[in-house]
């Protein structure tokens, strides 16, 4: 069989063909175990927000050596992930399926929000949000982003579209971020993107603070924005209000 680079199995020996090492057997997976005391200690540290490496090092110090523990740091991290935080591959798949199903029903228009940052690692926390038939927000995906540049957002949108079955939304609401806007144009060229009205209205006080009567102007602008349900009403109301705002800004109201 050497001529054709193939091998055949002629004999199987099920017994160990080399001497075992009893002093290392406790580190094999089937022999590693977390005692009830260790589990409760891990849970206490996790509730206090202490990193997994810290309790493990305390266990090592108390035992005198990591070989005396009967488990490794990976076991501590796995226990936190699977038991303490109740995260498993099955749960992840279930949640992913929920988001994908929700997108099929409520994915015509989505909002992508990156308002919040994580405290410990200073990562941008992003959410893909849709609205269901009850007017409730529904999660369609989330992400942690280190760099807020075009390539990072492009990669993110490509991954999200892949998870959603390759179907792009008809419209997407974003904040006034040029990198996000450009990434959407590259990944979802047929999707209409608009600025989120919440972000626009949030900036109004700082923009109008230098004008006289700015409080009245802000209230009038809010009325026009939130109570104009058609383009005609918005145009008519906006024209009247803009004249009123100019008068208030210049007359000292």
């Amino acid at each position: 069989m050497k001529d054709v680079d193939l091998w055949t199995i002629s004999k199987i020996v099920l017994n160990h063909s080399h001497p075992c090492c009893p002093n290392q057997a406790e580190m094999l997976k089937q022999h590693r175990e977390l005692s009830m005391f260790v589990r409760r200690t891990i849970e206490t540290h996790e509730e206090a927000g202490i990193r997994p490496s810290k309790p493990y090092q305390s266990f090592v110090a108390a035992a005198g050596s990591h070989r005396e523990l009967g488990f490794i740091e990976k076991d501590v991290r796995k226990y936190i992930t699977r038991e303490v935080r109740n995260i498993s591959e099955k749960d992840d798949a279930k949640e992913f399926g929920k988001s994908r199903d929700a997108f099929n029903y409520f994915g015509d228009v989505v909002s992508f929000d990156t308002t919040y940052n994580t405290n410990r690692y200073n990562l941008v926390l992003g959410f893909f949000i849709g609205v269901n038939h009850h007017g409730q927000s529904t999660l369609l995906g989330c992400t942690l982003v280190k760099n807020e540049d075009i390539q990072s957002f492009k990669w993110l949108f490509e991954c999200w579209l892949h998870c959603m079955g390759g179907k792009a939304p008809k419209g997407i609401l974003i904040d006034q971020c040029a990198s996000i806007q450009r990434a959407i144009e590259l990944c979802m060229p047929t999707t209409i993107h608009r600025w989120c009205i919440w972000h626009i209205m949030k900036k109004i006080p700082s923009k109008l603070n230098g004008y006289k009567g700015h409080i009245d102007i802000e209230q009038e602008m809010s009325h026009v924005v939130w109570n104009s349900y058609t383009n005609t009403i918005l145009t008519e109301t906006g024209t009247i209000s803009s004249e009123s705002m100019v008068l208030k800004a210049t007359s000292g109201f």
Side-chain angles (χ1 to χ4, degrees):
M1 300 295 286
K2 292 183 179 180
D3 296 336
V4 291
D5 294 328
L6 295 175
W7 294 85
T8 58
I9 299 174
S10 58
K11 183 179 180 181
I12 297 177
V13 178
L14 298 179
N15 296 325
H16 284 291
S17 59
H18 58 81
C20 297
C21 301
N23 62 335
Q24 296 182 5
E26 72 276 4
M27 303 310 293
L28 296 176
K29 184 177 180 180
Q30 58 267 33
H31 295 298
R32 301 199 306 264
E33 184 179 3
L34 301 178
S35 66
M36 186 61 67
F37 169 75
V38 169
R39 295 184 184 188
R40 294 294 172 265
T41 304
I42 293 172
E43 292 170 6
T44 302
H45 282 76
E46 178 65 15
E47 290 177 2
I50 300 174
R51 289 178 297 177
S53 60
K54 295 294 183 180
Y56 178 75
Q57 292 302 326
S58 68
F59 294 139
V60 173
S65 169
H66 69 276
R67 289 191 175 278
E68 302 297 327
L69 289 178
F71 59 89
I72 59 178
E73 185 174 348
K74 182 179 179 181
D75 298 324
V76 175
R77 295 181 180 276
K78 178 183 276 189
Y79 180 75
I80 292 174
T81 301
R82 299 293 173 87
E83 302 296 333
V84 180
R85 297 177 184 171
N86 291 322
I87 299 176
S88 66
E89 293 180 0
K90 184 177 180 180
D91 292 334
D92 289 343
K94 185 177 180 180
E95 292 303 317
F96 169 74
K98 285 183 179 179
S99 294
R100 192 167 185 173
D101 287 341
F103 179 79
N104 289 332
Y105 286 103
F106 316 117
D108 287 346
V109 178
V110 303
S111 170
F112 178 63
D113 184 20
T114 55
T115 303
Y116 304 100
N117 287 13
T118 58
N119 294 328
R120 182 177 297 178
Y121 301 106
N122 195 33
L123 296 173
V124 176
L125 180 61
F127 295 98
F128 292 93
I129 302 293
V131 178
N132 63 21
H133 53 287
H134 295 294
Q136 301 168 330
S137 296
T138 179
L139 183 64
L140 303 177
C142 57
T143 182
L144 290 172
V145 181
K146 180 64 176 178
N147 300 312
E148 296 182 83
D149 54 30
I150 296 174
Q151 289 303 317
S152 296
F153 285 121
K154 181 175 179 291
W155 171 83
L156 167 63
F157 291 140
E158 288 174 347
C159 292
W160 180 71
L161 285 173
H162 177 73
C163 292
M164 296 300 110
K167 177 184 175 183
K170 296 178 181 178
I172 186 168
L173 304 176
I174 61 173
D175 61 10
Q176 294 165 292
C177 176
S179 297
I180 296 178
Q181 181 173 331
R182 180 55 181 158
I184 292 173
E185 292 172 351
L186 294 172
C187 299
M188 297 178 276
T190 61
T191 299
I192 299 172
H193 63 270
R194 293 290 184 265
W195 289 343
C196 177
I197 194 171
W198 182 84
H199 287 281
I200 295 174
M201 299 303 292
K202 187 180 179 182
K203 295 179 180 179
I204 286 179
S206 62
K207 299 294 184 182
L208 298 179
N209 195 37
Y211 292 94
K212 297 178 180 179
H214 65 88
I215 296 178
D216 292 331
I217 297 174
E218 291 170 20
Q219 292 177 349
E220 201 155 336
M221 287 188 68
S222 295
H223 174 75
V224 171
V225 170
W226 297 114
N227 296 296
S228 300
Y229 301 108
T230 65
N231 289 335
T232 303
I233 296 176
L234 178 62
T235 303
E236 293 176 352
T237 310
T239 302
I240 297 172
S241 295
S242 63
E243 296 173 355
S244 174
M245 292 174 198
V246 171
L247 289 174
K248 290 181 179 181
T250 57
S251 63
F253 268 42

